[in-house]
Structure formats: structure tokens, C-alpha cells
Amino acid sequence: MATLKDLANLIYPNIHWTLEDLEKRFPKRNLPEGAKVIRFAPSPTGFLHTGSLFASLVGYYFAQQSKGIFYIRLEDTDTKREIEGSGSALVEQLKEFDIIPDEGYFSETKQIGNYGPYKQSERSEIYNTCIKHLIEMGRAYPCFCSAEELQELRKEQEARKEIPGYYGKYAKYRDYPVDAAIEKIKAGVPYIIRFKSMGNHENKVAFHDEIKGDIELTENDQDIVICKSDGLPTYHFAHLVDDHFMRTTHVTRGEEWLPSLPIHIELFDTIGFERPKYAHIPNVMKVDENGTRRKLSKRKDEEAAVSYFLEQGYPKYGFIEYLLTIANSNYEAWRDLNLEKDYKEFPLSFEKMAVEGALFDIAKVANISKERMAYKKAKDLALEVKAWAKLYDKNFYNHIIENEDLFISILNIEREKEKPRKDYEKYSDIYPIISFFYRDVYDAIDKNNLDWNPLISKEDIRSVLQDYHDTLDLSLDEEAWFASIKELAVRHGFADNVKLWKKNKEDYKGHVGDVSEFLRIALSGRKNSPNLYYVIQILGEKEVKNRIETILKHF
């Protein structure tokens, strides 16, 4: 009579390692007490999701703060859904947000670390060693059910109104004789490998989640598939093996994986591996058009893709800080008290994480980005914008490199002061606001259709512009300059303040604000621009006079 060992050797004739061999090959890490080893384990099936960035950010910060290890493992066993090159792209997008692993998968040609391979498709020998061990101990077995048989099984369960799945009395090959199984395998009958569960769905399993606290869930009783017909492991089994032999201490993942936890607990306990700690992170949510809360959707929501924020030019620190406000409820209070500190100094805590999923708020992303950009030094911001424009706005980039000192001067308008201007929410906002500084853009403006005040005659506007042209003095400081604008207004019959004009409108053609507006339109082609004094200073005497002369030709 054949034994379970005979069955295991038949299925895995070339596996000669044991669990003890693997324990020696991948020893426990030599890290400081309390150090966390955390992984980000994406599938190469598409773009980096905002929720995945959130989860990886949380894992990265806990690892860094504890002087531990953050690594990337590529879960590429779902070959049907894999998109070529997306694994490397995911790593590059994480890098954009300063999330750089200590070890793991970096690209198709680069893996770093002593606990690899870090691609699941390259770890079959490790998985098969563990599956062979489970077969030998009677806790895994070959299942020869066809797709049609499984479909019939489900129909039967539905008819009886019983829990669907492959378990107990419905697990046809669970207690199949070893000799019969060997005979089928030798005959070439296709099979998969299932885990033999000893659970009961009428029982509860208790565990502690680092975020959600003490929880009870229904015990697993399903004989789940652990190795598919193509020889690759399923997510559940690969998770067991990889997190053990890569010595993961904390699994940080989305709360949608919470129902799978009883499976993982049983797998760890069955094979005798120490369980990692689990932290199920609340999902990033959205309210849809029906008023229903749901997860950000790859198919429905453009903000679900991290690439959207990169393309739009939201500064990475603004987006990260927004995610930190979701991660910990006390982040904003900490930031208010530590305006000069790097966000990386914030002490992230599992205890402060919300249990419920946060609603994604793009307006808040924009507001935080605007606040942080406002306090950036012009030179530093210029480098950020230049790098972004090189990738996403060639026209803007060409204008920047044409005269980088000019660009820095423009960005520095009312910037490096106690209360800086807050004009920009993202890099892509900047060029539309400042493009008039560039002569080719200004020349393309339709001078015959400028938005002049229709209540003031063209002759009065011409007169004011000509006077300013003739008396231009760039040596004045801002206060003296504004006093000169008031004098200009009075010379041409305009009130030198709005209150005076409102009291005696019949005595004045307008007020000093109108005069400033004439100049703004003449120099920028629009009614809104950065501080007019600095616009004039940056353009310089020759360009200011040239633009006024150009405008006067169109009156």
C-alpha cells in the first residue's frame, strides 16, 4: 500500500529540500528589537492604484520609523491578467513619491536582497517544498475535479441552500485513497492541489488586528486550492510561504482581505509557522452618483490612478500629506505645530488609524498642495516644476529653460515672506497664470478684443497708458510705486481710492483700481495676474514700454 510520502514524491520528484533547509537558507533577520519587516506586494496587472499607494505608504513609514525593512514582492502568478512592464512601472511610480524599498523587486532585471527571489513566478521550488511537506503530513491532496463537476457541485449546494464551496462532504477527493490518486496521476489525469482544512464554519476564530482591535470571524472550513494546474501557487498559499521565509513581521493590506484571514491563520498554524501581525487598512472611499459609499474604482474614477496626480502636477509632498491625514487622525494637528518639519518626521501610529474608510477628497489634496507649495523657496519649486514640465508639458518646459532665472523670479513673486501668496494648487496651474511673461505668448494675444472696462472711454484709457509709459520709474519700491499710481489716477480724473469714488461717482471717471486694471490688461492681456508691481519689475522698462506701445496701436 502506497503512503502519503510516495504520493508526495510522485507529484514532486525533483524536490529534495525540506522545511528545515528553507529555515536555514532564509534565517530570521538580525534587526533591532521592535523593527518591523513590511512588504508591498503588487500584482503586475495595471497602474498603481491610489489605495495601493496609501497601503504602501503606511507600510513604508512603519518600517522606516522602526528601523526595519520595507521590501517589494511581485505577485505575478496570475499570468492571464499580467500586463507586460507594469511591475517595473509600479516601482517607478512609488519612487516618484519617495517610497523606495530597502530590498526586493526593483525591475525585471533588478532584485536586491537575501530573501529572494522576490518574484513569485521564480519561487516555485520554495512553494513546492512546502506543499510536498503538507501532502506528507496529510494536510494537502490532489483534486481531480473537472470544471463541469465543480459547476454541478455548486448547483447542488444552491438547490439545498447550503454554503457554496469545496468542503466536508462536498470535498470529493479529500479522503481519496492514496493508491487511487497515484493511479490517476500516472494515467495523466489533470489535477490541482488543495489544502485539507480542519475548520468548522459554525465556529469562530479570534485574532487581534493592529488597527481594528480584537475581532472574531467565521472559521475556515474550505479546502482551498493552493497550487493551480499550471504549477503556480494561489495567492493564499504564496502569502503563507513568502511572508514566513521573507520574515515579514507585519502585513499591512486593504481591509477587503479581512475575510481571507481565517484561511491564512489556519495555513500558518497547520504548517507550524509563526503568524505575522496583521493591520487591515481602511479603504479609500468615494460617494458615487447614487449617494453610495464605495471603493475608488479603477474603471470609474480617474483619481484612482496615481498617474493622474503625477500628470496633473500635484506635488508629491502635497499628495503624501493628504494620505497621511487619512492614515492618522492627528496628522493635521501635528503639522500645524510643526510647519518647518519634513512630513517624514511625523510619528505614524496604528492606534490613530481610522477603522472606517475615508472619503477621498480631491479638494483637500489641492488645498494641502497649495499650502505646501506656497512655503517652498522659489529655486526649489522651480526645479520641481521644471522636472514635471519636461515630462508632461514640453511648451512650458521650453519656456523655463529659455531663461531659468526669469522663471525663478516669476515664481518668487510674494513668495518668501511670512504670509506668501497661494496661487498654485499644482504645477499645471502655473503656466496658464504666468505665461504672459513670455513674449511669444503675449504677442499671440488678440489685442483688438481685450476686456477693457466698457464704462470708461478708450480715450481715457489711452491717456492713462501713455502717461504711465512716459513717466515710468522702476526705481520706486512697492509703496512708492502705488503712491505714483494714485497720482496717475488723480491726474486723469480718477479717484485715488474706491471709497471716495463710491461717495461721489459723478465727480470721477473711475477709481485707482480701474487705472491699475488698465495697466494689468496692457501688460498681461488679462484682468488677473500676479502682483502688478512685481510684474512690472520683472518685465523691465524696455518690455513694459514696448507692450504699452503695442496696445496703444490698437486703440
Side-chain angles (χ1 to χ4, degrees):
M1 180 180 287
T3 65
L4 290 171
K5 191 164 188 177
D6 294 329
L7 177 62
N9 283 329
L10 175 64
I11 295 173
Y12 296 111
N14 299 318
I15 294 297
H16 305 295
W17 288 348
T18 64
L19 293 193
E20 291 73 22
D21 294 329
L22 293 178
E23 294 289 347
K24 291 176 183 176
R25 180 178 171 185
F26 305 110
K28 289 185 177 181
R29 295 173 182 268
N30 184 19
L31 295 170
E33 186 176 351
K36 295 177 175 65
V37 179
I38 301 178
R39 45 71 165 179
F40 175 52
S43 299
T45 55
F47 59 76
L48 180 63
H49 191 280
T50 297
S52 298
L53 175 63
F54 179 49
S56 61
L57 176 73
V58 169
Y60 174 77
Y61 274 83
F62 277 122
Q64 294 294 303
Q65 287 176 180
S66 65
K67 295 181 171 54
I69 297 292
F70 176 75
Y71 71 91
I72 291 180
R73 179 173 77 226
L74 195 70
E75 300 193 339
D76 62 339
T77 58
D78 190 348
T79 54
K80 292 179 181 177
R81 295 176 59 228
E82 184 170 347
I83 297 173
E84 187 176 353
S86 62
S88 298
L90 289 169
V91 176
E92 286 303 308
Q93 287 185 336
L94 285 177
K95 188 177 178 182
E96 291 271 3
F97 291 93
D98 292 338
I99 300 175
I100 301 171
D102 300 294
E103 66 180 59
Y105 172 90
F106 285 77
S107 70
E108 284 303 297
T109 58
K110 183 179 180 183
Q111 296 185 46
I112 297 174
N114 298 322
Y115 292 81
Y118 295 91
K119 286 182 65 178
Q120 288 184 335
S121 60
E122 297 174 0
R123 295 174 61 80
S124 59
E125 199 168 7
I126 300 169
Y127 302 132
N128 292 343
T129 299
C130 295
I131 295 173
K132 185 175 184 180
H133 177 82
L134 285 175
I135 292 173
E136 289 176 351
M137 65 184 289
R139 293 302 299 275
Y141 61 91
C143 172
F144 303 93
C145 279
S146 66
E148 291 75 21
E149 286 179 287
L150 292 174
Q151 191 173 4
E152 286 302 315
L153 175 64
R154 178 172 285 274
K155 286 180 181 178
E156 181 183 344
Q157 291 169 335
E158 288 173 352
R160 295 182 178 184
K161 296 183 178 179
E162 296 198 36
I163 295 171
Y166 196 91
Y167 63 94
K169 64 181 181 181
Y170 292 113
K172 179 178 178 180
Y173 290 97
R174 178 184 173 92
D175 297 311
Y176 201 60
V178 173
D179 286 320
I182 288 175
E183 187 177 328
K184 278 184 175 289
I185 292 170
K186 287 182 176 179
V189 178
Y191 64 92
I192 56 175
I193 305 294
R194 290 184 181 272
F195 170 69
K196 183 184 282 190
S197 172
M198 296 301 176
N200 186 332
H201 64 256
E202 293 182 357
N203 298 334
K204 296 288 185 180
V205 58
F207 67 95
H208 178 80
D209 186 89
E210 298 297 298
I211 296 171
K212 298 182 181 297
D214 294 328
I215 295 178
E216 283 191 342
L217 289 174
T218 300
E219 198 171 69
N220 173 62
D221 67 350
Q222 298 280 338
D223 285 7
I224 63 162
V225 178
I226 58 176
C227 185
K228 297 175 289 185
S229 58
D230 60 6
L232 291 172
T234 58
Y235 166 80
H236 298 299
F237 191 74
H239 159 80
L240 161 79
V241 175
D242 294 341
D243 282 332
H244 177 71
F245 288 114
M246 292 180 182
R247 306 300 176 178
T248 305
T249 64
H250 292 70
V251 174
T252 57
R253 62 185 182 184
E255 62 185 355
E256 68 270 19
W257 289 106
L258 202 54
S260 301
L261 193 57
I263 295 173
H264 301 155
I265 287 174
E266 188 179 9
L267 285 170
F268 273 100
D269 292 350
T270 297
I271 204 166
F273 294 163
E274 182 182 354
R275 302 178 193 171
K277 293 181 179 179
Y278 286 88
H280 287 88
I281 299 167
N283 290 319
V284 181
M285 309 293 286
K286 182 172 183 174
V287 175
D288 65 19
E289 59 277 4
N290 299 316
T292 305
R293 286 171 65 103
R294 59 167 173 77
K295 274 181 65 178
L296 276 180
S297 167
K298 285 184 177 184
R299 291 183 296 105
K300 300 176 182 178
D301 308 315
E302 59 185 2
E303 64 268 36
V306 167
S307 56
Y308 169 78
F309 297 94
L310 294 174
E311 290 163 9
Q312 289 293 308
Y314 286 93
K316 63 184 178 185
Y317 42 83
F319 194 50
I320 288 174
E321 291 204 42
Y322 169 69
L323 293 178
L324 287 172
T325 69
I326 295 178
N328 269 190
S329 57
N330 61 328
Y331 178 78
E332 289 175 272
W334 176 86
R335 170 51 82 194
D336 289 341
L337 295 174
N338 299 278
L339 289 173
E340 300 303 317
K341 286 189 176 181
D342 191 306
Y343 58 80
K344 295 176 185 176
E345 297 180 52
F346 172 69
L348 201 64
S349 163
F350 282 128
E351 291 75 20
K352 295 288 185 181
M353 293 196 77
V355 176
E356 297 295 326
L359 287 175
F360 189 79
D361 186 349
I362 193 141
K364 193 169 183 179
V365 176
N367 187 60
I368 292 173
S369 297
K370 180 169 64 176
E371 287 289 326
R372 299 296 164 260
M373 286 174 72
Y375 288 94
K376 281 275 182 177
K377 291 192 178 297
K379 282 188 176 181
D380 295 335
L381 182 60
L383 289 173
E384 295 173 16
V385 178
K386 178 183 171 184
W388 173 83
K390 187 175 183 179
L391 292 174
Y392 300 108
D393 190 336
K394 288 295 184 183
N395 184 44
F396 188 13
Y397 176 73
N398 290 335
H399 279 107
I400 292 171
I401 61 174
E402 178 186 313
N403 188 336
E404 293 193 35
D405 288 338
L406 169 64
F407 182 57
I408 292 169
S409 298
I410 295 169
L411 287 183
N412 206 34
I413 294 175
E414 295 189 292
R415 171 168 297 276
E416 294 175 17
K417 52 195 291 190
E418 186 177 349
K419 292 185 177 181
R421 282 181 66 95
K422 297 169 183 177
D423 294 318
Y424 317 122
E425 295 178 351
K426 50 190 183 296
Y427 304 140
S428 58
D429 291 341
I430 296 174
Y431 188 64
I433 293 173
I434 66 139
S435 59
F436 70 87
F437 276 100
Y438 299 103
R439 186 69 204 211
D440 62 320
V441 177
Y442 180 80
D443 286 343
I445 294 170
D446 183 357
K447 311 300 189 302
N448 292 314
N449 289 293
L450 296 175
D451 192 15
W452 303 108
N453 188 331
L455 301 177
I456 299 173
S457 72
K458 289 288 186 73
E459 275 307 309
D460 286 327
I461 297 172
R462 166 186 275 279
S463 178
V464 168
L465 292 177
Q466 187 65 59
D467 191 349
Y468 188 76
H469 173 280
D470 296 341
T471 59
L472 179 63
D473 183 357
L474 293 187
S475 68
L476 301 175
D477 62 24
E478 188 174 3
E479 186 177 346
W481 173 81
F482 190 61
S484 75
I485 296 299
K486 286 184 174 183
E487 292 170 5
L488 175 66
V490 170
R491 285 201 300 272
H492 292 272
F494 292 81
D496 65 2
N497 67 78
V498 177
K499 282 186 178 180
L500 180 61
W501 171 72
K502 285 183 176 179
K503 285 182 180 179
N504 307 280
K505 288 186 178 181
E506 65 281 359
D507 295 335
Y508 300 99
K509 297 174 182 177
H511 54 78
V512 66
D514 295 318
V515 170
S516 295
E517 184 179 272
F518 304 157
L519 290 172
R520 195 182 305 278
I521 292 173
L523 299 177
S524 69
R526 59 185 72 162
K527 285 186 173 182
N528 296 304
S529 77
N531 184 303
L532 185 57
Y533 170 76
Y534 293 102
V535 168
I536 291 167
Q537 290 290 321
I538 291 170
L539 288 175
E541 181 177 351
K542 183 178 178 181
E543 182 65 13
V544 168
K545 287 189 172 184
N546 187 291
R547 292 190 180 196
I548 291 174
E549 289 165 7
T550 299
I551 293 297
L552 290 176
K553 290 176 184 175
H554 288 81
F555 271 84

